[in-house]
Amino acid sequence: MTLLKPAIILIIGFILLIKGADFFVEGSSSVAKRFHVPAMIIGMTIVAMGTSLPECAVSVTASLTNNNSLAVSNVVGSNIFNLMVVCGACAVLTPLTISQDTLKKEFPLSIICAGLLLVLGYIGMTLGHIDGVFFLILFIGYLLWMINSAKKARAEILANPEHADNFAQAEYVEGNIAVLPLWKSLLFIVGGMIAIKFGGDFVVDGASSIAGILGLSQTLIGLTIVAMGTSLPELVTSLIAAKKGEVDMALGNVIGSDIFNILFVLGIATAISPIEFLMENVFDIIILIVMSLLVLGFSWSKQEINRKEGLSMLLIYAAYMVYICIR
C-alpha cells in the first residue's frame, strides 16, 4: 500500500509532463506561425525542444532537490531509449531511410556530445556551473547551425523544385500547425509550463519515493521508469512519423532530441546547480556511445536501418535492461 501513493504521483507526473509539453508546443507554434516565423525554424526549435521538455523538467527538478543521480541517469537513459527502442521500433514498423546529412552531421554530433559529457563528467566526477554554461553555448551554436542549414536547404529547393521531397519535414510541420486565437495560445503556453513544472516535481518525488521503498538506486530508477516515461513524446512522434512515411523525420527527431537532452537539459540543470557524477553514470555514457556507433554502423552502408537491425536493437536494449537491474 505504501508503494501505491508514489506510483500514482509518478503516473500523474508523467501525464502532466506529456500533456503540458503538447500544450506548450501547440501554443508556441501557433504564436510563431501567427507572426510569420518560418515553419522550418518552428520545427527546429519549438517542436524539437517540446519533446525534450519532460527530460528538462525532471533533470532540473532533480538537480535543485539534490537528487543528482536522477538528473544524469534520466538524460542518459532517455538517450539510450530513444536510440535503441524508438529507432528500433520504427525500423521494425518500416525500414528507416537515413539522409547523408544526418549520417555525416547530426549523428556524429550526437556521439561527440555524449563524448563531451563523458569527459567533462569524469574530470572531477562532477558537472559544474561552467560545464552547464559551456553546454548551453554549444546548444545555441547548434540551433543557429541548424537554422542556417535549413535556410540553405530551402533556398536550394526553391531553385530546384524537383528536389522538394527532400524538405518534407518543413512541409509536414507547416501543415500541422493550427493558428489559434491569441488568448488561447497564451493559455496553452502558460498552462503547459505550469503542468510541466508540477509534472517534473511529481515525477522526481514519486521516483525518489519508489527507489527508497524498494531499496533501489536513483540511477536505476532514472535509467528505467523515468527515462521511459519522459521519452514517450519522442516514441509517439517518431512512430507516427514512420507510419506516415516520414522516416527520415523519425530518426531526425530522435537524434535531435538526444543532442538537446545533453546540451540543453543538462546545460540548464548544471548551470543552476552542480551535479555529482557516479561511476555508474560513466559506464552508462560509454554504453550510449557504443550503441550509437553500432546504430551508425547499421545505417552507414545502405543508408537505412532495416527490420532485422531494428529488432536486434530492441533485443540489445532488453539485454541492457537486464544488465542494469542485476549490476
Side-chain angles (χ1 to χ4, degrees):
M1 210 43 198
T2 51
L3 194 61
L4 183 61
K5 186 179 177 182
I8 291 171
I9 290 172
L10 185 70
I11 292 167
I12 292 171
F14 282 144
I15 293 169
L16 286 172
L17 283 175
I18 292 164
K19 294 309 296 179
D22 284 346
F23 282 130
F24 178 82
V25 168
E26 192 172 345
S28 301
S29 299
S30 173
V31 171
K33 189 172 181 180
R34 178 182 290 276
F35 290 101
H36 307 293
V37 176
M40 75 178 84
I41 295 178
I42 298 172
M44 299 281 180
T45 54
I46 297 168
V47 176
M49 280 190 284
T51 56
S52 290
L53 282 174
E55 287 91 343
C56 186
V58 169
S59 291
V60 170
T61 304
S63 175
L64 289 171
T65 54
N66 294 317
N67 293 295
N68 292 331
S69 302
L70 195 60
V72 178
S73 59
N74 172 45
V75 165
V76 176
S78 291
N79 282 13
I80 292 173
F81 183 87
N82 287 345
L83 186 69
M84 304 306 283
V85 177
V86 176
C87 284
C90 287
V92 169
L93 192 66
T94 179
L96 287 181
T97 307
I98 301 149
S99 71
Q100 280 285 352
D101 269 0
T102 302
L103 279 176
K104 291 181 178 179
K105 295 177 183 177
E106 286 92 345
F107 212 145
L109 180 60
S110 72
I111 298 171
I112 290 168
C113 289
L116 269 175
L117 177 61
L118 176 65
V119 172
L120 293 176
Y122 187 72
I123 296 171
M125 294 304 287
T126 185
L127 285 172
H129 295 300
I130 295 173
D131 298 321
V133 171
F134 177 61
F135 278 154
L136 288 174
I137 291 169
L138 289 179
F139 173 70
I140 292 168
Y142 166 71
L143 271 187
L144 293 174
W145 173 57
M146 291 294 288
I147 290 168
N148 188 52
S149 297
K151 284 181 177 177
K152 285 182 179 176
R154 170 166 277 189
E156 188 179 326
I157 286 159
L158 289 174
N160 301 281
E162 67 273 12
H163 297 145
D165 287 345
N166 296 332
F167 209 59
Q169 182 163 355
E171 299 306 318
Y172 178 86
V173 170
E174 179 74 49
N176 283 273
I177 298 172
V179 179
L180 305 171
L182 193 56
W183 67 267
K184 194 172 183 180
S185 299
L186 295 175
L187 183 65
F188 275 22
I189 292 168
V190 174
M193 289 172 70
I194 292 170
I196 290 163
K197 192 272 177 195
F198 284 104
D201 290 345
F202 286 177
V203 167
V204 171
D205 290 345
S208 300
S209 298
I210 290 170
I213 292 167
L214 298 179
L216 303 172
S217 70
Q218 286 189 9
T219 300
L220 176 59
I221 293 294
L223 287 168
T224 53
I225 299 170
V226 178
M228 291 177 191
T230 55
S231 291
L232 285 175
E234 285 91 341
L235 179 61
V236 172
T237 302
S238 295
L239 285 175
I240 290 171
K243 280 186 75 175
K244 290 186 176 182
E246 303 287 352
V247 287
D248 188 50
M249 194 199 304
L251 186 67
N253 175 57
V254 164
I255 294 171
S257 289
D258 283 1
I259 294 170
F260 274 43
N261 285 346
I262 293 174
L263 298 184
F264 177 63
V265 174
L266 281 181
I268 288 178
T270 51
I272 293 170
S273 176
I275 295 176
E276 256 182 72
F277 239 61
L278 304 174
M279 280 310 297
E280 287 176 343
N281 299 138
V282 173
F283 292 140
D284 291 324
I285 296 169
I286 291 170
I287 289 169
L288 170 61
I289 293 170
V290 170
M291 287 180 175
S292 298
L293 291 169
L294 177 68
V295 175
L296 184 61
F298 280 163
S299 52
W300 193 266
S301 56
K302 295 180 181 178
Q303 282 186 238
E304 75 166 23
I305 301 171
N306 60 38
R307 287 188 172 88
K308 285 183 181 177
E309 289 164 343
L311 184 59
S312 69
M313 287 159 65
L314 294 175
L315 292 173
I316 290 168
Y317 183 79
Y320 170 68
M321 284 290 100
V322 173
Y323 158 70
I324 62 172
C325 287
I326 64 175
R327 71 180 177 187

